[in-house]
mmCIF file of all heavy atoms in Angstrom:
data_model
loop_
_atom_site.group_PDB
_atom_site.id
_atom_site.type_symbol
_atom_site.label_atom_id
_atom_site.label_comp_id
_atom_site.label_asym_id
_atom_site.label_seq_id
_atom_site.Cartn_x
_atom_site.Cartn_y
_atom_site.Cartn_z
ATOM 1 N N SER W 57 -16.870 11.024 10.100
ATOM 2 C CA SER W 57 -17.796 11.056 8.967
ATOM 3 C C SER W 57 -19.098 10.348 9.321
ATOM 4 O O SER W 57 -19.166 9.573 10.270
ATOM 5 C CB SER W 57 -17.180 10.376 7.746
ATOM 6 O OG SER W 57 -17.173 8.964 7.928
ATOM 7 N N GLU W 58 -20.077 10.612 8.521
ATOM 8 C CA GLU W 58 -21.294 9.812 8.525
ATOM 9 C C GLU W 58 -20.994 8.561 7.698
ATOM 10 O O GLU W 58 -19.874 8.380 7.225
ATOM 11 C CB GLU W 58 -22.442 10.606 7.889
ATOM 12 C CG GLU W 58 -22.800 11.877 8.629
ATOM 13 C CD GLU W 58 -23.399 11.610 10.005
ATOM 14 O OE1 GLU W 58 -24.129 10.616 10.158
ATOM 15 O OE2 GLU W 58 -23.127 12.390 10.923
ATOM 16 N N LYS W 59 -21.963 7.731 7.470
ATOM 17 C CA LYS W 59 -21.781 6.554 6.625
ATOM 18 C C LYS W 59 -21.436 7.013 5.205
ATOM 19 O O LYS W 59 -22.103 7.878 4.645
ATOM 20 C CB LYS W 59 -23.053 5.712 6.619
ATOM 21 C CG LYS W 59 -22.935 4.428 5.834
ATOM 22 C CD LYS W 59 -24.150 3.558 5.996
ATOM 23 C CE LYS W 59 -25.352 4.201 5.354
ATOM 24 N NZ LYS W 59 -26.504 3.298 5.232
ATOM 25 N N ILE W 60 -20.390 6.434 4.638
ATOM 26 C CA ILE W 60 -19.927 6.806 3.302
ATOM 27 C C ILE W 60 -20.290 5.693 2.336
ATOM 28 O O ILE W 60 -19.949 4.531 2.559
ATOM 29 C CB ILE W 60 -18.400 7.033 3.300
ATOM 30 C CG1 ILE W 60 -18.045 8.148 4.292
ATOM 31 C CG2 ILE W 60 -17.910 7.370 1.894
ATOM 32 C CD1 ILE W 60 -16.568 8.245 4.596
ATOM 33 N N ASP W 61 -20.965 6.062 1.250
ATOM 34 C CA ASP W 61 -21.420 5.093 0.259
ATOM 35 C C ASP W 61 -20.750 5.275 -1.094
ATOM 36 O O ASP W 61 -21.289 4.846 -2.114
ATOM 37 C CB ASP W 61 -22.942 5.203 0.066
ATOM 38 C CG ASP W 61 -23.702 4.712 1.278
ATOM 39 O OD1 ASP W 61 -23.299 3.694 1.863
ATOM 40 O OD2 ASP W 61 -24.711 5.352 1.642
ATOM 41 N N THR W 62 -19.607 5.918 -1.120
ATOM 42 C CA THR W 62 -18.907 6.171 -2.372
ATOM 43 C C THR W 62 -17.484 5.637 -2.302
ATOM 44 O O THR W 62 -16.890 5.600 -1.227
ATOM 45 C CB THR W 62 -18.917 7.679 -2.707
ATOM 46 O OG1 THR W 62 -18.261 7.895 -3.939
ATOM 47 C CG2 THR W 62 -18.238 8.498 -1.631
ATOM 48 N N GLU W 63 -16.952 5.224 -3.435
ATOM 49 C CA GLU W 63 -15.615 4.626 -3.465
ATOM 50 C C GLU W 63 -14.511 5.655 -3.269
ATOM 51 O O GLU W 63 -13.413 5.315 -2.854
ATOM 52 C CB GLU W 63 -15.408 3.895 -4.789
ATOM 53 C CG GLU W 63 -16.313 2.704 -4.953
ATOM 54 C CD GLU W 63 -16.186 2.043 -6.301
ATOM 55 O OE1 GLU W 63 -15.266 2.384 -7.080
ATOM 56 O OE2 GLU W 63 -17.005 1.168 -6.597
ATOM 57 N N ARG W 64 -14.764 6.906 -3.580
ATOM 58 C CA ARG W 64 -13.761 7.973 -3.458
ATOM 59 C C ARG W 64 -14.329 9.051 -2.546
ATOM 60 O O ARG W 64 -15.421 9.554 -2.784
ATOM 61 C CB ARG W 64 -13.454 8.547 -4.838
ATOM 62 C CG ARG W 64 -12.398 9.603 -4.864
ATOM 63 C CD ARG W 64 -12.103 10.050 -6.289
ATOM 64 N NE ARG W 64 -11.703 8.956 -7.139
ATOM 65 C CZ ARG W 64 -10.457 8.518 -7.297
ATOM 66 N NH1 ARG W 64 -9.488 9.111 -6.634
ATOM 67 N NH2 ARG W 64 -10.183 7.519 -8.101
ATOM 68 N N TYR W 65 -13.560 9.403 -1.489
ATOM 69 C CA TYR W 65 -14.046 10.364 -0.507
ATOM 70 C C TYR W 65 -12.950 11.381 -0.194
ATOM 71 O O TYR W 65 -11.906 11.022 0.348
ATOM 72 C CB TYR W 65 -14.470 9.626 0.770
ATOM 73 C CG TYR W 65 -15.146 10.498 1.785
ATOM 74 C CD1 TYR W 65 -16.478 10.885 1.624
ATOM 75 C CD2 TYR W 65 -14.474 10.943 2.911
ATOM 76 C CE1 TYR W 65 -17.113 11.680 2.560
ATOM 77 C CE2 TYR W 65 -15.095 11.740 3.863
ATOM 78 C CZ TYR W 65 -16.406 12.107 3.671
ATOM 79 O OH TYR W 65 -17.036 12.892 4.598
ATOM 80 N N PRO W 66 -13.162 12.666 -0.527
ATOM 81 C CA PRO W 66 -12.162 13.693 -0.216
ATOM 82 C C PRO W 66 -12.297 14.173 1.229
ATOM 83 O O PRO W 66 -13.408 14.265 1.762
ATOM 84 C CB PRO W 66 -12.500 14.814 -1.198
ATOM 85 C CG PRO W 66 -13.962 14.663 -1.428
ATOM 86 C CD PRO W 66 -14.264 13.183 -1.319
ATOM 87 N N VAL W 67 -11.152 14.467 1.857
ATOM 88 C CA VAL W 67 -11.130 14.978 3.224
ATOM 89 C C VAL W 67 -10.233 16.202 3.245
ATOM 90 O O VAL W 67 -9.141 16.183 2.671
ATOM 91 C CB VAL W 67 -10.582 13.921 4.208
ATOM 92 C CG1 VAL W 67 -10.494 14.484 5.613
ATOM 93 C CG2 VAL W 67 -11.441 12.668 4.197
ATOM 94 N N SER W 68 -10.668 17.253 3.925
ATOM 95 C CA SER W 68 -9.854 18.460 4.061
ATOM 96 C C SER W 68 -9.452 18.652 5.518
ATOM 97 O O SER W 68 -10.306 18.727 6.397
ATOM 98 C CB SER W 68 -10.618 19.688 3.569
ATOM 99 O OG SER W 68 -9.834 20.845 3.777
ATOM 100 N N LEU W 69 -8.139 18.729 5.727
ATOM 101 C CA LEU W 69 -7.588 19.025 7.052
ATOM 102 C C LEU W 69 -6.799 20.333 6.990
ATOM 103 O O LEU W 69 -5.902 20.559 7.794
ATOM 104 C CB LEU W 69 -6.665 17.892 7.515
ATOM 105 C CG LEU W 69 -7.281 16.513 7.666
ATOM 106 C CD1 LEU W 69 -6.215 15.500 8.045
ATOM 107 C CD2 LEU W 69 -8.390 16.517 8.685
ATOM 108 N N THR W 70 -7.112 21.188 6.035
ATOM 109 C CA THR W 70 -6.320 22.400 5.811
ATOM 110 C C THR W 70 -6.332 23.342 7.012
ATOM 111 O O THR W 70 -5.404 24.119 7.185
ATOM 112 C CB THR W 70 -6.811 23.157 4.564
ATOM 113 O OG1 THR W 70 -8.203 23.424 4.689
ATOM 114 C CG2 THR W 70 -6.561 22.352 3.301
ATOM 115 N N GLU W 71 -7.353 23.277 7.835
ATOM 116 C CA GLU W 71 -7.431 24.143 9.012
ATOM 117 C C GLU W 71 -6.697 23.549 10.217
ATOM 118 O O GLU W 71 -6.625 24.190 11.267
ATOM 119 C CB GLU W 71 -8.896 24.398 9.380
ATOM 120 C CG GLU W 71 -9.702 25.051 8.267
ATOM 121 C CD GLU W 71 -9.181 26.436 7.910
ATOM 122 O OE1 GLU W 71 -8.815 27.194 8.824
ATOM 123 O OE2 GLU W 71 -9.131 26.755 6.704
ATOM 124 N N LYS W 72 -6.162 22.349 10.076
ATOM 125 C CA LYS W 72 -5.473 21.677 11.188
ATOM 126 C C LYS W 72 -3.973 21.905 11.085
ATOM 127 O O LYS W 72 -3.429 22.140 10.009
ATOM 128 C CB LYS W 72 -5.767 20.173 11.179
ATOM 129 C CG LYS W 72 -7.245 19.826 11.195
ATOM 130 C CD LYS W 72 -7.939 20.393 12.403
ATOM 131 C CE LYS W 72 -9.422 20.070 12.373
ATOM 132 N NZ LYS W 72 -10.157 20.808 13.374
ATOM 133 N N ILE W 73 -3.282 21.807 12.217
ATOM 134 C CA ILE W 73 -1.842 22.014 12.213
ATOM 135 C C ILE W 73 -1.123 20.810 11.607
ATOM 136 O O ILE W 73 -1.663 19.706 11.569
ATOM 137 C CB ILE W 73 -1.304 22.293 13.638
ATOM 138 C CG1 ILE W 73 -1.559 21.107 14.569
ATOM 139 C CG2 ILE W 73 -1.896 23.558 14.199
ATOM 140 C CD1 ILE W 73 -0.874 21.227 15.906
ATOM 141 N N ALA W 74 0.106 21.038 11.161
ATOM 142 C CA ALA W 74 0.914 19.965 10.592
ATOM 143 C C ALA W 74 1.235 18.938 11.675
ATOM 144 O O ALA W 74 1.359 19.269 12.848
ATOM 145 C CB ALA W 74 2.195 20.524 10.004
ATOM 146 N N GLY W 75 1.358 17.683 11.267
ATOM 147 C CA GLY W 75 1.689 16.623 12.204
ATOM 148 C C GLY W 75 1.195 15.285 11.717
ATOM 149 O O GLY W 75 0.772 15.149 10.576
ATOM 150 N N PHE W 76 1.255 14.306 12.601
ATOM 151 C CA PHE W 76 0.782 12.969 12.269
ATOM 152 C C PHE W 76 -0.652 12.799 12.744
ATOM 153 O O PHE W 76 -1.004 13.234 13.842
ATOM 154 C CB PHE W 76 1.662 11.898 12.925
ATOM 155 C CG PHE W 76 3.002 11.775 12.277
ATOM 156 C CD1 PHE W 76 4.095 12.451 12.783
ATOM 157 C CD2 PHE W 76 3.170 10.998 11.142
ATOM 158 C CE1 PHE W 76 5.332 12.346 12.182
ATOM 159 C CE2 PHE W 76 4.402 10.890 10.527
ATOM 160 C CZ PHE W 76 5.480 11.563 11.053
ATOM 161 N N TYR W 77 -1.459 12.162 11.912
ATOM 162 C CA TYR W 77 -2.844 11.888 12.241
ATOM 163 C C TYR W 77 -3.126 10.421 11.960
ATOM 164 O O TYR W 77 -2.567 9.843 11.040
ATOM 165 C CB TYR W 77 -3.789 12.756 11.402
ATOM 166 C CG TYR W 77 -3.698 14.217 11.763
ATOM 167 C CD1 TYR W 77 -2.749 15.039 11.180
ATOM 168 C CD2 TYR W 77 -4.556 14.762 12.704
ATOM 169 C CE1 TYR W 77 -2.645 16.378 11.525
ATOM 170 C CE2 TYR W 77 -4.467 16.099 13.057
ATOM 171 C CZ TYR W 77 -3.511 16.905 12.460
ATOM 172 O OH TYR W 77 -3.421 18.211 12.815
ATOM 173 N N ILE W 78 -3.994 9.835 12.737
ATOM 174 C CA ILE W 78 -4.418 8.458 12.513
ATOM 175 C C ILE W 78 -5.781 8.497 11.840
ATOM 176 O O ILE W 78 -6.688 9.194 12.305
ATOM 177 C CB ILE W 78 -4.500 7.676 13.834
ATOM 178 C CG1 ILE W 78 -3.118 7.569 14.470
ATOM 179 C CG2 ILE W 78 -5.102 6.284 13.590
ATOM 180 C CD1 ILE W 78 -3.131 6.990 15.857
ATOM 181 N N VAL W 79 -5.909 7.765 10.752
ATOM 182 C CA VAL W 79 -7.193 7.638 10.082
ATOM 183 C C VAL W 79 -7.725 6.250 10.407
ATOM 184 O O VAL W 79 -7.125 5.246 10.035
ATOM 185 C CB VAL W 79 -7.066 7.812 8.553
ATOM 186 C CG1 VAL W 79 -8.416 7.632 7.890
ATOM 187 C CG2 VAL W 79 -6.471 9.176 8.223
ATOM 188 N N GLU W 80 -8.823 6.202 11.124
ATOM 189 C CA GLU W 80 -9.453 4.929 11.471
ATOM 190 C C GLU W 80 -10.620 4.723 10.517
ATOM 191 O O GLU W 80 -11.507 5.568 10.427
ATOM 192 C CB GLU W 80 -9.946 4.954 12.910
ATOM 193 C CG GLU W 80 -10.604 3.660 13.327
ATOM 194 C CD GLU W 80 -11.085 3.723 14.754
ATOM 195 O OE1 GLU W 80 -11.766 4.704 15.118
ATOM 196 O OE2 GLU W 80 -10.789 2.800 15.495
ATOM 197 N N ILE W 81 -10.586 3.620 9.794
ATOM 198 C CA ILE W 81 -11.633 3.303 8.840
ATOM 199 C C ILE W 81 -12.392 2.091 9.344
ATOM 200 O O ILE W 81 -11.792 1.053 9.608
ATOM 201 C CB ILE W 81 -11.052 3.028 7.440
ATOM 202 C CG1 ILE W 81 -10.279 4.255 6.964
ATOM 203 C CG2 ILE W 81 -12.162 2.658 6.470
ATOM 204 C CD1 ILE W 81 -9.545 4.054 5.670
ATOM 205 N N ILE W 82 -13.684 2.254 9.482
ATOM 206 C CA ILE W 82 -14.515 1.158 9.964
ATOM 207 C C ILE W 82 -15.393 0.693 8.807
ATOM 208 O O ILE W 82 -16.239 1.430 8.326
ATOM 209 C CB ILE W 82 -15.375 1.601 11.155
ATOM 210 C CG1 ILE W 82 -14.477 2.134 12.265
ATOM 211 C CG2 ILE W 82 -16.247 0.449 11.639
ATOM 212 C CD1 ILE W 82 -15.205 2.875 13.342
ATOM 213 N N ALA W 83 -15.125 -0.524 8.357
ATOM 214 C CA ALA W 83 -15.929 -1.122 7.284
ATOM 215 C C ALA W 83 -16.390 -2.460 7.808
ATOM 216 O O ALA W 83 -17.114 -2.523 8.781
ATOM 217 C CB ALA W 83 -15.118 -1.240 6.005
ATOM 218 N N ASN W 84 -15.931 -3.532 7.194
ATOM 219 C CA ASN W 84 -16.276 -4.866 7.676
ATOM 220 C C ASN W 84 -15.615 -5.142 9.021
ATOM 221 O O ASN W 84 -16.125 -5.881 9.831
ATOM 222 C CB ASN W 84 -15.852 -5.914 6.648
ATOM 223 C CG ASN W 84 -16.560 -5.692 5.326
ATOM 224 O OD1 ASN W 84 -17.727 -5.325 5.297
ATOM 225 N ND2 ASN W 84 -15.844 -5.895 4.241
ATOM 226 N N LYS W 85 -14.485 -4.534 9.245
ATOM 227 C CA LYS W 85 -13.772 -4.580 10.521
ATOM 228 C C LYS W 85 -12.882 -3.350 10.582
ATOM 229 O O LYS W 85 -12.727 -2.644 9.605
ATOM 230 C CB LYS W 85 -12.956 -5.863 10.668
ATOM 231 C CG LYS W 85 -11.974 -6.102 9.541
ATOM 232 C CD LYS W 85 -11.309 -7.436 9.678
ATOM 233 C CE LYS W 85 -10.408 -7.685 8.459
ATOM 234 N NZ LYS W 85 -9.759 -8.953 8.531
ATOM 235 N N LYS W 86 -12.296 -3.062 11.725
ATOM 236 C CA LYS W 86 -11.490 -1.853 11.863
ATOM 237 C C LYS W 86 -10.196 -1.960 11.073
ATOM 238 O O LYS W 86 -9.580 -3.005 11.003
ATOM 239 C CB LYS W 86 -11.167 -1.583 13.329
ATOM 240 C CG LYS W 86 -12.335 -1.059 14.098
ATOM 241 C CD LYS W 86 -11.908 -0.588 15.449
ATOM 242 C CE LYS W 86 -13.105 -0.043 16.192
ATOM 243 N NZ LYS W 86 -12.750 0.467 17.493
ATOM 244 N N ARG W 87 -9.818 -0.842 10.505
ATOM 245 C CA ARG W 87 -8.544 -0.719 9.799
ATOM 246 C C ARG W 87 -7.928 0.593 10.235
ATOM 247 O O ARG W 87 -8.626 1.584 10.372
ATOM 248 C CB ARG W 87 -8.752 -0.714 8.299
ATOM 249 C CG ARG W 87 -9.337 -2.001 7.789
ATOM 250 C CD ARG W 87 -9.845 -1.784 6.380
ATOM 251 N NE ARG W 87 -10.193 -3.033 5.750
ATOM 252 C CZ ARG W 87 -11.408 -3.541 5.753
ATOM 253 N NH1 ARG W 87 -12.388 -2.913 6.338
ATOM 254 N NH2 ARG W 87 -11.651 -4.686 5.164
ATOM 255 N N VAL W 88 -6.648 0.635 10.438
ATOM 256 C CA VAL W 88 -5.976 1.860 10.847
ATOM 257 C C VAL W 88 -4.893 2.194 9.830
ATOM 258 O O VAL W 88 -4.065 1.350 9.493
ATOM 259 C CB VAL W 88 -5.364 1.721 12.257
ATOM 260 C CG1 VAL W 88 -4.623 2.982 12.641
ATOM 261 C CG2 VAL W 88 -6.446 1.412 13.280
ATOM 262 N N LEU W 89 -4.911 3.429 9.345
ATOM 263 C CA LEU W 89 -3.906 3.943 8.436
ATOM 264 C C LEU W 89 -3.336 5.226 9.038
ATOM 265 O O LEU W 89 -4.049 5.948 9.709
ATOM 266 C CB LEU W 89 -4.522 4.260 7.067
ATOM 267 C CG LEU W 89 -5.257 3.109 6.381
ATOM 268 C CD1 LEU W 89 -5.981 3.648 5.157
ATOM 269 C CD2 LEU W 89 -4.277 2.040 5.971
#
Side-chain angles (χ1 to χ4, degrees):
S57 74
E58 298 293 325
K59 183 173 67 168
I60 301 167
D61 290 320
T62 181
E63 294 176 9
R64 183 176 303 272
Y65 187 77
V67 177
S68 177
L69 299 176
T70 55
E71 301 297 320
K72 305 301 178 191
I73 62 171
F76 287 95
Y77 292 86
I78 296 172
V79 178
E80 180 180 49
I81 301 174
I82 303 167
N84 299 322
K85 56 186 176 181
K86 286 190 179 182
R87 297 165 169 94
V88 178
L89 304 171

